Every structure is written in structure tokens, then in C-alpha cells.
Amino acid sequence: MKICFFGSSLVSSYWNGAATYYRGMLKQIAALGHDITFFEPDAFERQAHRDIADPDWAKVVVYPATTDGWRGSLDAAARSADMLIKASGVGVFDQELEIAVAALPSRTMRIYWDVDAPATLEAMANDPGHHLRRAIPSYDMVLTYGGGDGVVTAYRAMGARDCVPIYNALDPETHFPSPSKPDFACDLSLLANRLPDREQRVEHFFLDVARELPGKTFVLGGSGWETKDTPGNLRKVGHVGTSEHNAFFGSGLATLNVNRDSMARYGFSPPTRVFEAIGAGACLITDKWDGIDHFLEPDREVLVAASGAEIAGHLDTLDPDRAAAIAGRARARILGHHTYRHRARQFNDLFVGSSSRIEAAE
């Protein structure tokens, strides 16, 4: 099947947390015999911050971030695609693309792939005139990278013909244990860009904990934190490229996941960082959200905290032996059930009959 995919960026993770998900999913979908072309805009300095070359499993088309740029790319994709996927959060001309893809002839299967479903659904709920309320019923299917039954129910209520979560996962060829780096050594690390709907939770679950435990060390990675007031026992290391993620996650006693507000409310929304960190051999501590036990067993494979005080308690009782045992059990669980190979087979099972359906429509 010829698949054309419009997303934020495949080749750059710069201000682009979806890069890991795109790479893991599309590489494994291509391995099942599908032909992938990824269209991404030249925007937000991502091309100047590439962290991978064009992969051999997908053709990458970089188009100008202009009206003519997206229109020309969509016209080219529509002429050749069996399936055309518009991902959420491209960053430029999202509304125009989402409406235009929905209006394509039905001989091309049209998929809306939401990589931030909780935020999208909240935006739609708060705006009766939101363009996706009109567009979503025209898509053949909505895929999401998280959200569970809450997201599925909400999308169906918005008129989606169907909605299927395809969760984040691990690419074991990319994220694996590697030598630690002194720059990242600490008791607790966090890798997260500074975003408005995450900052308060980072303050509560990470910065306040660092202030409460002056005898322990903390490392904060991610863009946007340069001007943030932080305690003296916390080091800010800025943007961490994907080539250093394994060392970042594996260099501390533990690493922390903090979901954004909307993801925590919907639950069943493990971000890519969860799987990256576990793949790298880290002991993971996460804020509490519904569905964590669908992926990992609390206290045995992951440490869960409903407050900053509970995170501080975990750090007070965590030693290297226990951290290593938790990390090892978590990695075995994820390798056995939650890799992108598992997710690609799920995708293939959904659409294996697409080609014959499209040919009949022609």
C-alpha cells in the first residue's frame, strides 16, 4: 500500500516530541511491505536541527511552509496515495490541511492520526465552531497514540466513523542501555520541553521535589527552561538530541515522566518518553494517571506518584539495586508486549483489506 503521511517532522526532534513515535511506527509499517512518503514543512528551524538522515524505509519530502507549499504537496500525494494520513500538530497550515484531506475523493483512504488526542478533543469541546467538528466525519478513521476508551468515546461523539488508539511503544533498535555520561548523572532526571499545559505539573512533581531534597541531585533536559528559576541542586542541560536520549535516561538513579494536564485527565496516554526511558534501562517514576497498569505493573515495574511528596518518598527509599531490578522487569515487559513491531501489526490488521476496497471503488 502506498501511504502518504503529513506530520511535523520525521528527521528532526527539535520541538517535536512526536518524532520518536513517527520513526518507530513508520519504520515497522514499512517493514510489513508498505511504501511510505513523509511530507513535512520547512518550519521552526527543524531542518537546521536534523538528528537523523533521510531513512531508507521512507521517502522524506520537505515542502515550503507556504500555501503553495502545502497545496502542491497534497496534490502530489493525492495522485499517488492509497492512504493519506494527516497527523495532528504539523504546526503550520493544520486547519487547511485537515479540511483539504477530508475533502479528497473517497477512492483514497483518509486517516486523521491524532498524536495529542486529549488536547485536540478539549479544543474541539471548547469551540462549537472548531473546523475538526466538520472535518472528522469525512475521515475514514481516526487513529490516536493514546487516550483509551475516553478518547474513543469522545471522537465517536464528534462524528468519527471509528477511532482506534495505537499507543506509543519502544523501538529497541533505537532505545537501549548505553554507557552513562557524567553530565547527566543525578538522582532524578526529567526530559520535557517547557509547555504551558505541563509547566505547573513539572513545578509540582519535579522542581518542588528538588527544593525539598537539597541533598539529592536533579537534571532537567528539554527546550525552553533557560529562564526558569530552579534550585541549586538542579542542572539544566537544554535540548537533548535523540542520539543522547539513551545516555540521558540511563545516567541517573531514576528518571521521571510528567504527563501534560490533558493527558493526565484522559489517562491511557503514555508519552514516548516512557518507552524511551525504559528501553534505555532506566528506573521510571511517573505521575499517576489512569491506565498505567495497562502498560506496567506499579511498584514492580514502575514507581507511581500522585504528588511531589510521593516522589520524594520514592527517592528516599530507592537504592541502585532496587532501581536496577525495577528497570529490568519493566524493560522485559515492554519488549514482550509494547514495541513498535507490535503496533505496526495492529495497524496492518486494521487496514490489510484497504487495497482491495480502494481498487473496487475505482
Side-chain angles (χ1 to χ4, degrees):
M1 183 164 52
K2 170 70 174 177
I3 301 172
C4 290
F5 194 110
F6 282 77
S8 50
S9 180
L10 189 67
V11 297
S12 176
S13 64
Y14 186 68
W15 283 101
N16 180 33
T20 296
Y21 183 68
Y22 292 153
R23 293 169 188 175
M25 280 298 315
L26 296 181
K27 180 170 69 173
Q28 293 301 325
I29 289 171
L32 294 174
H34 301 293
D35 185 324
I36 310 288
T37 301
F38 192 99
F39 292 84
E40 60 180 77
D42 187 358
F44 307 111
E45 300 184 359
R46 287 181 180 137
Q47 299 307 311
H49 293 84
R50 281 182 170 228
D51 47 18
I52 65 168
D54 288 6
D56 57 9
W57 39 264
K59 178 182 178 183
V60 177
V61 176
V62 180
Y63 60 88
T66 63
T67 298
D68 288 344
W70 76 259
R71 283 179 173 167
S73 293
L74 183 58
D75 287 345
R79 286 194 297 269
S80 64
D82 299 314
M83 175 185 289
L84 204 153
I85 298 171
K86 166 62 177 69
S88 65
V90 168
V92 291
F93 298 106
D94 275 294
Q95 178 173 334
E96 293 84 351
L97 274 166
E98 284 155 6
I99 292 171
V101 171
L104 290 173
S106 58
R107 67 178 181 84
T108 301
M109 179 166 278
R110 297 148 301 172
I111 305 297
Y112 184 66
W113 202 323
D114 197 341
V115 297
D116 194 359
T120 303
L121 286 165
E122 290 197 350
M124 293 167 68
N126 293 332
D127 180 5
H130 198 288
H131 69 279
L132 280 175
R133 286 177 172 265
R134 301 186 304 276
I136 285 299
S138 295
Y139 282 85
D140 294 282
M141 186 176 289
V142 174
L143 301 178
T144 73
Y145 91 170
D149 289 342
V151 159
V152 171
T153 300
Y155 255 117
R156 288 178 176 165
M158 292 291 180
R161 300 179 191 181
D162 201 2
C163 176
V164 178
I166 298 184
Y167 294 109
N168 281 320
L170 170 65
D171 177 359
E173 296 178 2
T174 302
H175 294 104
F176 48 81
S178 68
S180 61
K181 291 185 64 173
D183 288 349
F184 301 141
C186 60
D187 291 297
L188 186 66
S189 65
L190 172 66
L191 182 57
N193 291 331
R194 188 179 183 181
L195 297 170
D197 63 345
R198 178 191 282 135
E199 185 166 356
Q200 186 175 7
R201 292 176 67 82
V202 170
E203 185 85 38
H204 180 58
F205 284 98
F206 190 65
L207 302 183
D208 285 350
V209 176
R211 295 184 183 103
E212 183 181 339
L213 301 175
K216 295 192 180 294
T217 55
F218 299 78
V219 169
L220 175 60
S223 301
W225 298 106
E226 298 81 7
T227 60
K228 182 72 175 179
D229 183 34
T230 55
N233 60 334
L234 184 150
R235 299 195 310 281
K236 291 178 281 190
V237 296
H239 173 68
V240 180
T242 53
S243 63
E244 292 196 299
H245 281 191
N246 291 334
F248 181 91
F249 290 122
S251 294
L253 178 66
T255 196
L256 178 67
N257 170 67
V258 179
N259 274 7
R260 299 200 327 272
D261 291 341
S262 56
M263 294 170 73
R265 281 194 292 272
Y266 273 89
F268 286 87
S269 297
T272 54
R273 298 290 183 256
V274 165
F275 299 98
E276 290 182 11
I278 289 171
C283 173
L284 180 69
I285 303 175
T286 184
D287 59 334
K288 188 176 182 179
W289 39 274
D290 287 343
I292 179 62
D293 54 350
H294 178 78
F295 304 93
L296 296 161
E297 183 180 339
D299 295 327
R300 188 172 183 274
E301 298 167 340
V302 64
L303 298 175
V304 179
S307 66
E310 290 187 8
I311 290 174
H314 285 315
L315 288 178
D316 275 337
T317 59
L318 190 63
D319 59 47
D321 288 343
R322 183 171 178 238
I326 291 170
R329 290 191 291 264
R331 192 164 188 272
R333 169 77 173 272
I334 296 303
L335 285 171
H337 301 281
H338 300 290
T339 69
Y340 283 114
R341 185 171 295 178
H342 293 98
R343 305 295 190 249
R345 287 201 292 265
Q346 180 189 0
F347 175 92
N348 208 53
D349 288 345
L350 284 171
F351 300 112
V352 70
S354 298
S355 295
S356 59
R357 188 183 70 80
I358 291 164
E359 288 168 3
E362 292 175 340

